[in-house]
Amino acid sequence: DESGQVNVLVWRQLGARRNAVLVGSRLMEVRGELQRESGVTHVIARDLIDRTAMVGALQFGIHEFH
């Protein structure tokens, strides 16, 4: 996103349950809990949703992160 990088933590049980989404999707929605600590942002994943079908409909602008 525009604020920089975010780490996504996927616990083993969720990864096993949603493995097809985790390894096979080109675009993935992550639902979970946002945590910020010492300048680092994490999302603790609670669900993973395959949004690959939306890839063609997305429009991206140019972003300068430097």
Side-chain angles (χ1 to χ4, degrees):
D1 70 0
E2 66 277 355
S3 64
Q5 293 188 359
V6 175
N7 299 309
V8 176
L9 301 174
V10 179
W11 298 119
R12 187 179 317 235
Q13 184 178 14
L14 176 61
R17 190 172 74 242
R18 303 292 281 159
N19 186 265
V21 175
L22 186 61
V23 299
S25 63
R26 293 178 54 210
L27 179 65
M28 181 173 34
E29 177 181 341
V30 177
R31 294 185 180 192
E33 179 184 338
L34 184 69
Q35 294 183 348
R36 290 191 177 127
E37 185 175 326
S38 302
V40 178
T41 304
H42 302 282
V43 174
I44 309 300
R46 300 288 180 234
D47 196 13
L48 307 173
I49 302 160
D50 187 351
R51 298 294 187 199
T52 300
M54 297 175 65
V55 169
L58 295 175
Q59 296 180 5
F60 296 96
I62 297 173
H63 297 282
E64 293 291 332
F65 293 107
H66 304 288

